């Protein structure tokens, strides 16, 4: 489900013809999506572009907040750790969860994992819950 209002979000928007069309499923205390990133989104040969990796992680954390709190949030700080190259044309699992909350600031975590269990990237972020209505 897209939460941007007009379904044109680059990460999750159903109507965005060049978007990633991510669909997250809530599971206990996290959200999870499976995604095969096409070669059109590569940087180096057969490796997902770092900006797209960042988008996958950021979108996962934002989707968690939307799912858990039915609120929209803005990324205030985002730190990415690229651990291994993230492959194109292979199924990836993108997972996000909440670490803590202080007032309207949520500390979030996310990761991308390959089918063989390799964690290719991790993110830590602070999100501010905001009313965009």
């Amino acid at each position: 489900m897209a939460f941007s209002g007009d379904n044109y979000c680059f990460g999750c928007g159903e109507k965005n013809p060049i978007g990633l069309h991510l669909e997250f499923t809530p599971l206990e205390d996290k959200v999870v999506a499976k995604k095969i990133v096409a070669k059109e989104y590569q940087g180096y040969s057969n490796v997902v572009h770092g900006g797209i990796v960042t988008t996958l992680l950021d979108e996962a954390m934002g989707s968690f907040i939307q799912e858990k709190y039915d609120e929209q949030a803005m990324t205030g700080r985002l730190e990415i750790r690229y651990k291994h190259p993230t492959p194109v044309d292979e199924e990836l699992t993108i997972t996000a969860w909440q670490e803590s909350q202080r007032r309207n600031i949520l500390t979030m975590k996310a990761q991308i994992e390959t089918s063989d269990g390799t964690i290719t990237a991790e993110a830590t972020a602070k999100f501010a819950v905001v009313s965009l209505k």
Side-chain angles (χ1 to χ4, degrees):
M1 175 191 287
F3 303 110
S4 66
D6 65 358
N7 291 319
Y8 231 75
C9 172
F10 177 73
C12 65
E14 298 166 0
K15 293 182 181 178
N16 189 326
I18 63 166
L20 296 172
H21 304 130
L22 295 167
E23 295 181 28
F24 288 91
T25 302
L27 297 174
E28 297 177 22
D29 58 349
K30 58 188 171 186
V31 294
V32 177
K34 301 284 188 177
K35 179 68 179 173
I36 297 173
V37 179
K39 194 172 185 97
E40 289 79 6
Y41 296 108
Q42 80 176 21
Y44 289 115
S45 182
N46 298 314
V47 175
V48 179
H49 188 282
I52 299 298
V53 168
T54 299
T55 300
L56 295 170
L57 294 164
D58 185 58
E59 189 69 25
M61 293 181 285
S63 293
F64 177 93
I65 295 166
Q66 178 66 39
E67 181 65 38
K68 181 172 180 179
Y69 296 101
D70 194 28
E71 294 282 353
Q72 292 178 318
M74 305 298 275
T75 310
R77 177 177 294 185
L78 176 61
E79 181 179 322
I80 307 296
R81 179 163 183 238
Y82 301 97
K83 299 177 73 168
H84 298 280
T86 300
V88 297
D89 294 330
E90 290 186 30
E91 185 174 76
L92 305 171
T93 302
I94 304 112
T95 308
W97 61 95
Q98 181 179 331
E99 286 285 300
S100 63
Q101 178 176 2
R102 185 169 181 206
R103 295 187 207 102
N104 71 320
I105 304 298
L106 304 176
T107 301
M108 303 295 301
K109 298 261 186 172
Q111 69 181 28
I112 298 174
E113 185 176 353
T114 62
S115 59
D116 71 2
T118 302
I119 296 172
T120 64
E122 299 173 323
T124 301
K126 299 238 185 238
F127 280 77
V129 176
V130 295
S131 176
L132 299 177
K133 300 173 187 175

